[in-house]
Amino acid sequence: MSLITEREKEEALTLRQVASTLCKRIDIGTAILPKPLFSEWDTTHDGQTKEIHNACVSVTSTASENLDSSTFTTYSKIVSSEFNSVVIEHHLKWAPLCQTLPGPIDEDTPSTRLGRYDFAHCDAMVDWALKHGMKVKGHVLCWHVTTPTFVEHLSSDQIRQELKRHIYTTVGHFRGRIQCWDVVNESLAPDGTLANNIFLRKLGPTYIEECFRWAHEADPSAFLIYNDNKVEGMNGPNKEKADGFYSILKDLVQNGVPIHGAGMQAHFNAGGTGNRQRVPTPRQVKNQIQRIGKLGLKVNISEMDVRISQLSGVDEEIKTLAQTQIYHDIIAAALTEQAFDGVWLWGFSDRHTWVKNFYYDDSPLIFDQDYNRKPAYYALRNAIATLSIGGRVGGNVNLDDDDDEEEPWGSQWMPKQHDDIMTCDPTLSMDANHVSGDCRPDW
């Protein structure tokens, strides 16, 4: 019988196991999808089975009637062993719940009637997570991008009534099962002002405060979070938006709004340049968490992934270096702050990443297409371990000075920078006049 070395034992540890050894509770979460969670194999007409290669968002009405929380797929085994928390990636948003992905409701007749909900997919995922001892985060109650299209035609009074009913219905349904909620998502424009979305136009700026109060009324025990993107670094790229993020949180706290946490998405593009797309330094992330923490709020990295395909003119080794350094250094830096309470990935395998559907082919996550651990996995695990007994807080990441002339952070892979307003979406205008109030997604 061969002996297992200590190093091999260490390499076999999962993220969840490492997290259990830390000096405090930290959420190690991932976004999940129902199809790969419950249905890894499909049966063909001749009785043979084949793997579902692109299982991503939807589950057919027939399959959804047979969702079985006891099923073990490769995907589900990794989720339950590696993570102590999950967030439902898509199906808990307003439009998917009652218009575009209505579960067993006949998919040929999508709902256009407000108040018609189908929680089949979400119930199955939540029950599965709770069965495996996992914390569940709800995402998201108010986000203009995934609001049913027919809401646009309602009056201000009708929208307020329906938004309140939606929050009451959704939070109330999961009361006691979902412990925390992203209440409002991406209400800021790139310049830190409020985005000119349907809720601002019809309800005014108080809609954010109202959403939090309604969520608290629906479940007084729930932990409530404001979530946004490109707000991760203080005095770095996207400074205006990061400042706007801090300001909106400060105002909510000062107004006595029941808010408990802040989510910083961290959809990073290693090849990004300019003020809109560059990756912030670990020190900038640490400082942003620190000042939000002083408001009395907890802070989490809420949707992390690290795109690398836009690093042009470099080999795969450099791309891997960039991805591993970002995962490790950003999380190691965040863990130095008492207010930081967790990191959530927006999926864990390159097999199921939103990036391929929205932007381009990429490999932004910590497991590859075949569910193998990537170098980024070990980088993240090592960062988490910095908070374990005997670990080195900060993981030897330079958190004192971003102006190291000999080797600035990211210098081995970060593209030459410029100050132009850049966006990963070529349809968005480069004109600064279009930045203020812009409500279009820009991840």
Side-chain angles (χ1 to χ4, degrees):
M1 183 176 68
S2 62
L3 296 176
I4 300 176
T5 66
E6 288 302 315
R7 180 177 178 82
E8 287 172 328
K9 288 181 181 178
E10 189 175 302
E11 288 181 349
L13 289 176
T14 66
L15 302 178
R16 187 171 185 171
Q17 288 172 326
V18 172
S20 69
T21 70
L22 304 187
C23 300
K24 68 172 186 177
R25 158 78 192 200
I26 292 292
D27 295 325
I28 309 298
T30 182
I32 59 172
L33 298 161
K35 195 169 184 179
L37 189 67
F38 298 119
S39 56
E40 184 169 31
W41 301 91
D42 225 359
T43 301
T44 63
H45 67 280
D46 58 359
Q48 300 298 310
T49 58
K50 64 178 181 179
E51 194 168 359
I52 300 175
H53 289 286
N54 293 308
C56 187
V57 174
S58 64
V59 175
T60 64
S61 58
T62 301
S64 62
E65 293 170 357
N66 299 302
L67 294 179
D68 182 0
S69 63
S70 65
T71 300
F72 287 98
T73 64
T74 302
Y75 181 100
S76 68
K77 289 177 183 176
I78 293 175
V79 173
S80 61
S81 64
E82 294 286 353
F83 301 96
N84 61 22
S85 306
V86 296
V87 55
I88 295 174
E89 182 169 331
H90 187 67
H91 290 69
L92 201 49
K93 298 165 185 172
W94 193 357
L97 273 177
C98 67
Q99 183 182 26
T100 58
L101 288 172
I105 294 174
D106 183 359
E107 58 190 25
D108 294 327
T109 56
S111 172
T112 56
R113 180 168 62 83
L114 286 168
R116 182 181 183 183
Y117 286 77
D118 194 309
F119 292 105
H121 294 151
C122 297
D123 278 332
M125 287 186 279
V126 170
D127 290 345
W128 178 89
L130 295 177
K131 179 180 178 180
H132 290 86
M134 309 178 85
K135 177 179 178 179
V136 182
K137 178 166 68 173
H139 178 84
V140 54
L141 297 171
C142 178
W143 185 26
H144 62 282
V145 174
T146 53
T147 295
T149 53
F150 45 84
V151 171
E152 182 73 43
H153 306 294
L154 301 178
S155 68
S156 296
D157 287 343
Q158 287 174 321
I159 288 180
R160 178 172 278 105
Q161 177 182 343
E162 295 302 336
L163 179 57
K164 179 179 180 179
R165 181 169 71 167
H166 167 65
I167 292 174
Y168 272 27
T169 299
T170 307
V171 176
H173 180 84
F174 291 102
R175 182 171 175 167
R177 291 193 289 162
I178 291 183
Q179 301 95 325
C180 58
W181 287 93
D182 288 333
V183 177
V184 178
N185 189 49
E186 297 180 11
S187 73
L188 293 174
D191 66 346
T193 61
L194 289 178
N196 186 28
N197 60 42
I198 182 175
F199 300 113
L200 183 68
R201 293 194 302 272
K202 295 292 185 79
L203 305 179
T206 60
Y207 82 88
I208 299 172
E209 177 177 328
E210 289 179 297
C211 286
F212 277 91
R213 295 193 186 281
W214 293 331
H216 181 67
E217 291 168 3
D219 185 355
S221 66
F223 188 92
L224 305 181
I225 301 166
Y226 175 74
N227 191 56
D228 219 315
N229 187 39
K230 289 188 169 64
V231 296
E232 299 83 8
M234 177 178 170
N235 294 329
N238 294 289
K239 178 185 184 305
E240 294 81 6
K241 192 171 186 182
D243 289 344
F245 183 64
Y246 173 77
S247 295
I248 200 172
L249 294 169
K250 183 179 179 181
D251 289 345
L252 290 171
V253 170
Q254 290 180 341
N255 290 338
V257 175
I259 180 173
H260 311 108
M264 308 192 305
Q265 293 180 15
H267 290 298
F268 293 135
N269 177 7
T273 60
N275 290 330
R276 293 278 293 280
Q277 293 299 315
R278 191 167 76 252
V279 179
T281 68
R283 180 172 176 267
Q284 291 164 349
V285 173
K286 171 185 170 65
N287 289 344
Q288 179 75 328
I289 295 171
Q290 184 179 84
R291 69 167 168 172
I292 294 171
K294 290 179 180 179
L295 297 175
L297 301 176
K298 294 295 185 181
V299 184
N300 71 88
I301 296 289
S302 59
E303 304 181 20
M304 190 173 188
D305 48 31
V306 181
R307 307 197 293 272
I308 54 176
S309 66
Q310 303 303 292
L311 279 170
S312 58
V314 301
D315 58 26
E316 291 301 314
E317 184 177 349
I318 296 299
K319 291 181 180 180
T320 297
L321 172 64
Q323 190 172 68
T324 56
Q325 185 173 22
I326 293 170
Y327 270 112
H328 177 274
D329 291 5
I330 295 295
I331 300 306
L335 285 167
T336 65
E337 288 300 321
Q338 185 63 33
F340 186 71
D341 67 358
V343 54
W344 305 69
L345 309 182
W346 214 238
F348 64 90
S349 168
D350 295 334
R351 191 186 196 90
H352 308 293
T353 171
W354 70 280
V355 175
K356 294 179 181 179
N357 294 328
F358 281 83
Y359 288 136
Y360 36 68
D361 189 35
D362 210 305
S363 305
L365 297 167
I366 62 174
F367 285 77
D368 67 17
Q369 292 267 5
D370 298 317
Y371 298 120
N372 297 311
R373 294 172 172 179
K374 294 165 54 177
Y377 171 92
Y378 296 101
L380 176 60
R381 195 181 67 178
N382 289 341
I384 295 168
T386 61
L387 213 59
S388 63
I389 297 174
R392 183 180 178 86
V393 177
N396 295 316
V397 178
N398 180 10
L399 299 175
D400 297 323
D401 187 3
D402 287 337
D403 299 321
D404 186 334
E405 295 182 1
E406 293 185 4
E407 191 174 355
W409 185 81
S411 60
Q412 294 174 285
W413 50 266
M414 189 176 288
K416 183 179 180 180
Q417 300 301 315
H418 53 77
D419 294 328
D420 294 341
I421 296 175
M422 295 294 290
T423 174
C424 49
D425 184 347
T427 65
L428 298 187
S429 173
M430 303 285 280
D431 186 344
N433 293 328
H434 291 274
V435 174
S436 182
D438 196 334
C439 65
R440 290 171 290 184
D442 180 19
W443 302 292

